[in-house]
């Protein structure tokens, strides 16, 4: 994971300059989906410099976020002092309380998590029963794969799992009511059993 951490830390200072209109459009869509869930506490796992955070602050009374890159976290903390933002590896950490969050969001970050099943299990652990997991990307699967390929390096082969693999891993991790919609962007919703 140090390679991933270094990759994003090296790009943190320029990260906000590469956001496109679609990044914000999908972030707003995700926030509106999250807002429909009952509850007040949300976690943005893999928050980067915080593209989702202003949308979440408008919808939730408690916004927490985390990222593996200390440089990304520094920028996010400076931009959004009202959010609780932590530097940690979501897959490995037991930092967040079990059964605590109403919603966990992984936005524009999921292919960079090393172990999808482990990531889903961590999300399940931190969610309350009936809590909502949202995995979303501002690009569809094909465009995302091409973008990562062009970026090269450690992220060059990072892609989304097939819908079949996603559903299988989500079921194994204790989720149901799985919905996957892919058009110009990608939005997955699943509920903790």
């Amino acid at each position: 994971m140090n390679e991933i951490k270094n990759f994003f830390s090296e790009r943190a200072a320029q990260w906000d300059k590469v956001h496109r209109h679609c990044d914000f459009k999908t972030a707003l869509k995700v926030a509106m989906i999250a807002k429909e869930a009952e509850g007040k506490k949300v976690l943005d796992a893999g928050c980067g410099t915080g593209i989702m955070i202003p949308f979440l602050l408008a919808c939730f009374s408690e916004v927490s976020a985390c990222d593996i890159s200390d440089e990304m976290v520094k920028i996010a903390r400076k931009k959004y002092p009202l959010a609780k933002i932590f530097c940690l590896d979501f897959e490995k950490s037991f930092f967040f309380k079990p059964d605590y969050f109403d919603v966990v969001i992984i936005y524009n970050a999921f292919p960079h998590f090393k172990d999808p099943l482990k990531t889903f299990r961590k999300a399940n652990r931190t969610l309350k029963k009936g809590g909502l997991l949202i995995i979303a990307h501002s690009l569809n699967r094909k465009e995302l794969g091409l973008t990562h390929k062009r970026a090269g390096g450690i992220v060059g082969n990072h892609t989304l799992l097939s819908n079949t693999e996603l559903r299988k891993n989500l079921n194994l991790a204790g989720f149901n009511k799985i919905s996957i919609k892919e058009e110009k962007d990608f939005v997955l919703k699943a509920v903790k059993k």
Side-chain angles (χ1 to χ4, degrees):
M1 288 314 281
N2 279 340
E3 288 178 276
I4 289 289
K5 179 181 177 178
N6 293 340
F7 179 89
F8 286 104
S9 288
E10 289 168 4
R11 289 157 179 78
Q14 301 300 315
W15 198 252
D16 287 344
K17 294 176 184 170
V18 299
H19 288 309
R20 297 153 300 201
H21 176 71
C22 65
D23 297 329
F24 297 101
K25 185 176 176 184
T26 302
L28 176 59
K29 180 197 294 189
V30 169
M32 293 298 99
I33 293 167
K35 187 178 178 182
E36 293 172 12
E38 303 245 343
K40 305 291 183 203
K41 299 173 188 166
V42 62
L43 172 64
D44 179 4
C47 67
T49 60
I51 190 169
M52 278 297 310
I53 294 174
F55 299 101
L56 299 176
L57 286 169
C59 299
F60 291 88
S61 60
E62 185 178 319
V63 176
S64 297
C66 65
D67 199 276
I68 195 169
S69 164
D70 50 345
E71 294 301 317
M72 292 278 193
V73 167
K74 283 179 194 173
I75 293 167
R77 283 179 179 159
K78 186 175 181 180
K79 288 167 41 180
Y80 306 110
L82 295 178
K84 300 173 187 176
I85 306 171
F86 307 95
C87 186
L88 55 86
D89 184 341
F90 181 70
E91 281 182 306
K92 295 180 180 177
S93 174
F94 286 93
F95 178 80
F96 298 109
K97 296 177 191 173
D99 306 311
Y100 186 76
F101 293 104
D102 301 295
V103 181
V104 171
I105 297 170
I106 302 175
Y107 181 62
N108 280 352
F110 185 71
H112 308 307
F113 287 87
K114 186 177 178 181
D115 185 337
L117 179 57
K118 192 173 187 178
T119 301
F120 291 151
R121 286 185 170 145
K122 284 292 180 178
N124 184 289
R125 179 187 175 275
T126 63
L127 281 166
K128 295 176 182 174
K129 184 175 181 174
L132 181 63
L133 171 64
I134 303 172
I135 307 285
H137 290 275
S138 58
L139 302 173
N140 62 35
R141 183 179 272 113
K142 182 180 177 183
E143 289 298 318
L144 182 65
L146 290 171
T147 298
H148 288 159
K149 188 175 183 177
R150 282 191 295 267
I154 189 71
V155 302
N157 65 350
H158 288 190
T159 59
L160 280 171
L161 298 174
S162 71
N163 289 354
T164 301
E165 291 173 292
L166 287 166
R167 288 179 189 280
K168 176 184 168 189
N169 282 305
L170 284 162
N171 283 318
L172 287 170
F175 288 94
N176 62 12
K177 299 180 184 175
I178 301 163
S179 163
I180 301 172
K181 292 186 180 177
E182 182 175 4
E183 295 169 356
K184 290 183 179 180
D185 56 11
F186 177 92
V187 179
L188 177 154
K189 299 185 292 183
V191 176
K192 179 178 176 174
K193 294 179 188 174

